[in-house]
Amino acid sequence: MLEQISFAQKQRLAYIDFCLLFRGAIYRQDLINRFEVGLSAGSRDFSIYKELAPANLSYDSREKRYVQTGQFKPVFEHDAQRTLVKLANDISDGFDAIGDIHFPVEAPSSLNVPDIFIVAKLVQAILSQKAVNVIYTSLSSGSGSRDLVPHSIVDNGLRWHVRAFDRKTQSFRDFVLTRISKVTIKEAPLPHENSESDQEWQRLIPLQLVPHPKNVQHPTAIEMDYGMESSQLLINVRAAMAGYLLRRWNVDCTERATLKGAEYQLWLQNRFTLNNVDNLAIAPGYTL
């Protein structure tokens, strides 16, 4: 049936599929507003989608929206890596389900691609502000059940995390998406479990980055790479993300710029701002 449908209508059907998968629900008006189609065209799209996958959605007459069923199976293939990038940039259009235009750009291979259904359940929980129960495998304790309250999906440059309140440790932590094997959405969280209480997430700290004074022979090249002004780059980052950024950019965080190697092209000049930041064990050369 899909072979007989126009490209434009496939995009709209993919959008319905995408919203059901990641939001858990979709209003008819969402489709009409997104694609600027008439009411009759929008209704026809939902009718076609129901023909393609009758068990995927049901109509909630009280809320006047279509909701995901327990038997939901996506009609289109949603690529996990590309979808996460789109979600991170607030581009949740579902077009990746039917193939975007491919540009001749190469990137390093991704070794850890999260399960798209795990991502979808977590996104649903975040959008609906619900807690979840997950099966999580950690390096220290192996596999086990954890109750989390997720609030953000995070790309640390190497892999994807979910930032969440962990009821086991009563603290906000990062959980690697590829280590989560099951997600069950639960009840609404308590006030102290919401993102507003995540102090490391809410707190912004300034990082003053300069060309490495010992490893870089021509600092102007580094200034051009990073768009520096007055030979420095001043950026504000969430305290919870500081360690990831410093590791990703190989920033020398020693007190006197003592790390050697061509990979260390930047030095953190104001390392005192890192006081009371939690995840600095991964920051190159940083010690208390």
Side-chain angles (χ1 to χ4, degrees), residues 2-200:
L2 280 175
E3 296 175 357
Q4 302 169 3
I5 295 174
S6 69
F7 180 81
Q9 193 160 45
K10 280 184 182 179
Q11 288 182 322
R12 299 197 296 271
L13 294 174
Y15 181 74
I16 294 172
D17 202 51
F18 188 94
C19 289
L20 288 171
L21 177 59
F22 287 96
R23 295 181 186 169
I26 180 174
Y27 292 93
R28 183 182 294 138
Q29 199 62 39
D30 292 337
L31 184 72
I32 293 171
N33 292 342
R34 176 65 183 82
F35 293 96
E36 299 182 354
V37 296
L39 180 61
S40 59
S43 298
R44 188 163 55 251
D45 290 334
F46 277 99
S47 297
I48 293 173
Y49 186 86
K50 282 191 286 185
E51 286 185 51
L52 289 168
N56 272 8
L57 74 169
S58 62
Y59 187 70
D60 185 335
S61 57
R62 186 170 62 88
E63 294 286 339
K64 295 183 178 179
R65 63 177 184 170
Y66 294 91
V67 296
Q68 181 196 104
T69 67
Q71 296 77 41
F72 178 85
K73 292 182 180 179
V75 175
F76 297 90
E77 182 178 349
H78 301 273
D79 180 83
Q81 198 74 5
R82 294 168 66 189
T83 298
L84 281 168
V85 171
K86 290 194 172 190
L87 288 169
N89 291 280
D90 197 27
I91 310 173
S92 52
D93 54 17
F95 288 177
D96 59 315
I98 55 176
D100 285 333
I101 298 172
H102 294 281
F103 293 92
V105 176
E106 288 294 328
S109 297
S110 178
L111 298 179
N112 56 339
V113 179
D115 186 309
I116 194 69
F117 299 105
I118 297 296
V119 175
K121 281 291 185 183
L122 290 171
V123 171
Q124 282 185 45
I126 292 170
L127 292 177
S128 59
Q129 297 185 334
K130 295 290 180 65
V132 296
N133 176 263
V134 304
I135 302 300
Y136 188 75
T137 303
S138 71
L139 292 174
S140 57
S141 57
S143 296
S145 174
R146 305 284 280 261
D147 284 338
L148 309 177
V149 181
H151 68 71
S152 299
I153 302 290
V154 178
D155 175 14
N156 73 2
L158 295 175
R159 55 192 178 186
W160 292 91
H161 291 76
V162 59
R163 181 77 175 174
F165 182 82
D166 177 23
R167 288 177 173 170
K168 180 179 179 180
T169 61
Q170 289 292 299
S171 63
F172 287 94
R173 296 191 170 192
D174 295 339
F175 295 87
V176 182
L177 289 185
T178 49
R179 296 180 187 171
I180 299 175
S181 56
K182 184 180 179 182
V183 180
T184 304
I185 297 178
K186 300 181 67 180
E187 74 285 348
L190 299 172
H192 73 279
E193 299 173 329
N194 290 320
S195 62
E196 290 77 9
S197 300
D198 188 348
Q199 296 182 3
E200 290 291 284

Side-chain angles (χ1 to χ4, degrees), residues 205 207 239 241-254 259 264 268 271 274 277-288:
I205 60 173
L207 300 180
M241 297 291 292
Y244 297 132
L245 184 145
L246 293 167
R247 181 179 65 171
R248 182 178 184 179
W249 288 2
N250 288 324
V251 179
D252 184 343
C253 298
T254 60
L259 292 184
Y264 300 112
L268 179 64
R271 68 189 302 277
L274 299 181
V277 175
D278 289 341
N279 68 342
L280 293 178
I282 59 176
Y286 183 81
T287 55
L288 294 174

